[in-house]
Amino acid sequence: MIVRAEGRAMAEPVLTYRGAVYPWHCDHMGHMNVMWYVGKFDEATWNLFSTLGLTPDYLRSASRGMAAVEQHIVYQREVFAGDTVSVHSELLEVREKVIRFRHAMTNASGETTAVTTLTAVHLDTAHRRSCPMPAEVLAAARELLTSAGED
């Protein structure tokens, strides 16, 4: 079942990453290489998961994990060494075993530089298959659902 935030105020995207672009993040064309966009988005993902209660302690102690099963990235503007970037994240969809979310990276001027949409599955790491997320995680996720998931 898909849980949507119908009939209530929608959550705003949350800040999940802020950092600098270093010279070693840049490729031969002088802008941040795609691998570093993915890396910064990955850091944002783990901060988002922690906000939901999917913390490293929970994942280790419960033999659980999260796996990205789909990811789409749109690059909109270059970033260069010395730039600072922020990532704001929003939940688009919450299901018993699956969450879909979006990260938007912006530069210091607030211009969007890249956007990624991911689908992740909650896993039982001992049995290597999907399993339901705890009720408290689902409740926290529902609170963060945004209207963007209603497109």
Side-chain angles (χ1 to χ4, degrees):
M1 175 172 100
I2 296 174
V3 178
R4 300 233 187 245
E6 297 165 352
R8 68 170 180 79
M10 302 297 180
E12 293 295 318
V14 296
L15 177 66
T16 51
Y17 176 84
R18 181 175 288 142
V21 177
Y22 292 97
W24 56 87
H25 293 159
C26 298
D27 60 20
H28 66 284
M29 294 176 49
H31 59 249
M32 188 167 70
N33 185 271
V34 296
M35 70 182 267
W36 294 101
Y37 283 89
V38 173
K40 291 174 186 301
F41 283 140
D42 186 59
E43 290 186 53
T45 295
W46 289 108
N47 285 318
L48 177 63
F49 287 170
S50 185
T51 299
L52 301 176
L54 298 169
T55 63
D57 286 343
Y58 159 74
L59 295 171
R60 282 189 291 268
S61 67
S63 297
R64 297 294 184 255
M66 294 297 292
V69 295
E70 186 173 355
Q71 180 173 7
H72 299 274
I73 302 175
V74 177
Y75 301 98
Q76 298 177 342
R77 185 175 305 279
E78 295 175 312
V79 294
F80 303 94
D83 288 349
T84 57
V85 295
S86 298
V87 175
H88 285 81
S89 306
E90 55 189 335
L91 288 181
L92 304 175
E93 182 180 343
V94 178
R95 292 185 271 162
E96 182 181 52
K97 301 175 185 179
V98 177
I99 59 174
R100 190 169 59 90
F101 51 99
R102 178 181 300 140
H103 297 307
M105 183 182 293
T106 56
N107 61 23
S109 300
E111 300 165 306
T112 301
T113 61
V115 177
T116 187
T117 304
L118 296 106
T119 301
V121 175
H122 185 250
L123 299 171
D124 177 326
T125 58
H127 294 98
R128 308 305 286 178
R129 70 177 91 168
S130 65
C131 65
M133 288 181 267
E136 59 273 13
V137 169
L138 290 171
R142 288 182 187 119
E143 290 298 314
L144 286 181
L145 275 171
T146 65
S147 60
E150 302 296 311
D151 297 341

